[in-house]
Amino acid sequence: MELFNWVSLILVISLLGPAPIVVASSINSDGKPQIASRFLNLAKKHDLFDWMVGIRRKLHENPELGYEEFETSKLIRAELDNLGITYKHPVVVTGIIGFIGTGKPPFVAIRADMDALPMQEMVEWKHKSKVPGKMHACGHDAHGTVVLVFQPAEEGGGGAHRLVEAGALENVNAIFGLHVDSKLPIGEVASRSGPLLAGSGFFEAVISGKGGHAALPQHSIDPILAASNVIVSLQHLVSREADPLDSQVVTVAKFQGGGAFNVIPDSVTIGGTFRAFTKKSFYQLKQRIEEVIKGQASVQRCKASVSFFENEKPFFPPTVNHESLHDYFKRVAGETLGSHKVKEMQPLMGSEDFSFYQEVIPGYFFFLGMKNTSVGKPESAHSPHFYINEEALSYGAALHASLASTYLSEFHPKTTLIGGELHDEL
């Protein structure tokens, strides 16, 4: 992902500071929000904004893929050292877990992903990626303790899953994360309670027949015909087997077979993704995908093997926002930006490994607007023409800081330790 998320997190550090966090009431004497507006004003100051943009551009020029973010991690640690922030490293190869505050409960976490995408940047600007075939193109770029989760490998590598297994969220009571949205106006945010993003998985199938000359198909067993029937049948899983009110997707996006106009190949490889908003529907799809591929291949006298890459690309659970955190987010975001700029959105079939955090603690994920009207039609994430509107950095940083500091202030009296003990490193 674009280093937007972690750069805004660095600014959060500068706003909160390494000292114990003492957070006043979020309402001042005349009844108006205090914390949120203070953070937004600080985040827009020229010196902080210019510093944040400078870091972001440096990292944009030097993208690194999942679990390869060594220089990125080095730069982050240098900034943390300069600011006097304690941290743990390495966590899951390149990850960093930083701590601001007293080291005592409550604990609230903020996630920032660090990895880039394997694509060539097509945007011509001064700070274009200097690494061929790699680009940040997705928008990654109080009494109590704020836990800073600098996560590697969000783009399909399951970095969040491995961080959870490594104990990165022990003692943490809640976690917040964001993603930029190039179609949402700058200064606005959007999210919802409950299911926000779908669970997702990948599949690949090798369909094997018997190759031969295209002019003599009777002497061959055609895997291309079998694969074609498989693809059509897979579409029926959603249109004829799924509840129309239970959104699901099966997409075949890969088809490889043959290399000549007049030769039937021995085998064909197809692959794709499947998505659903509940685990029950997700695993039902998985089961039926395998059954349909093997069954339809058999009808055409072919054999098929199916892989779901569970060890290489772990299935992402649905991203489900905690109900009480939704009410909390709407209030704090409204204080920061204005309630009219906090939007309710419909669920999306995209996926996020932030969902792994939500499986173990309450979590909340939202979208931050960065629409730039001066550049014409906005490019979607994962496009080689994707471009960050750097004005959004201040809003993301202020929201992160407001969500974390207000949480520590309001939830402090209610906090109990998970497991009844506090880890020494905190």
Side-chain angles (χ1 to χ4, degrees), residues 245-256:
L245 301 180
D246 179 14
S247 298
Q248 299 175 34
V249 166
V250 177
T251 295
V252 177
K254 175 182 178 180
F255 193 117
Q256 296 174 341

Side-chain angles (χ1 to χ4, degrees), residues 375-393:
V375 296
K377 182 182 177 181
E379 295 291 342
S380 62
H382 293 209
S383 163
H385 298 282
F386 183 78
Y387 189 77
I388 283 287
N389 182 356
E390 293 172 336
E391 291 181 24
L393 292 170

Side-chain angles (χ1 to χ4, degrees), residues 189 330-344:
V189 290
K330 287 196 300 182
R331 175 167 56 82
V332 175
E335 292 174 358
T336 307
L337 306 173
S339 58
H340 63 291
K341 293 188 175 182
V342 182
K343 308 296 184 180
E344 194 84 8

Side-chain angles (χ1 to χ4, degrees), residues 94 121 148 160 166 217 240 282 287 298 341 344 350-351 375 385:
T94 56
E121 180 170 9
L148 309 172
R240 286 296 174 266
F282 181 83
Q287 177 183 332
S298 177
K341 293 188 175 182
E344 194 84 8
S351 62
V375 296
H385 298 282

Side-chain angles (χ1 to χ4, degrees), residues 197-264:
L197 299 170
S200 71
F202 299 97
F203 66 91
E204 185 177 84
V206 178
I207 299 170
S208 301
K210 179 183 176 184
H213 199 287
L216 302 169
Q218 71 273 23
H219 297 311
S220 302
I221 300 176
D222 191 348
I224 290 182
L225 178 62
S228 300
N229 281 310
V230 164
I231 293 170
V232 172
S233 296
L234 287 175
Q235 302 313 303
H236 296 164
L237 296 181
V238 174
S239 67
R240 286 296 174 266
E241 296 186 19
D243 184 336
L245 301 180
D246 179 14
S247 298
Q248 299 175 34
V249 166
V250 177
T251 295
V252 177
K254 175 182 178 180
F255 193 117
Q256 296 174 341
F261 293 110
N262 60 346
V263 178
I264 295 172

Side-chain angles (χ1 to χ4, degrees), residues 76-94:
I76 294 173
R77 297 196 310 273
E79 294 295 336
L80 294 177
D81 288 336
N82 290 337
L83 292 165
I85 303 297
T86 59
Y87 57 85
K88 292 167 58 178
H89 172 272
V91 183
V92 188
V93 187
T94 56

Side-chain angles (χ1 to χ4, degrees), residues 165-186:
E165 290 184 331
L169 295 187
E170 290 191 46
N171 299 327
V172 175
N173 304 99
I175 186 168
F176 296 91
L178 67 80
H179 198 293
V180 291
D181 186 342
S182 58
K183 296 181 181 179
L184 188 67
I186 192 164

Side-chain angles (χ1 to χ4, degrees), residues 277-313:
F277 281 106
T278 68
K279 283 190 174 181
K280 179 180 179 181
S281 297
F282 181 83
Y283 283 101
Q284 174 69 12
L285 268 183
K286 175 180 179 292
Q287 177 183 332
R288 291 293 290 135
I289 285 170
E290 184 166 9
E291 291 173 352
V292 166
I293 291 174
K294 291 183 175 179
Q296 283 296 324
S298 177
V299 168
Q300 302 297 329
R301 301 179 296 151
C302 290
K303 296 181 179 180
S305 60
V306 184
S307 173
F308 291 95
F309 305 105
E310 293 176 74
N311 294 327
E312 303 169 35
K313 298 178 181 292

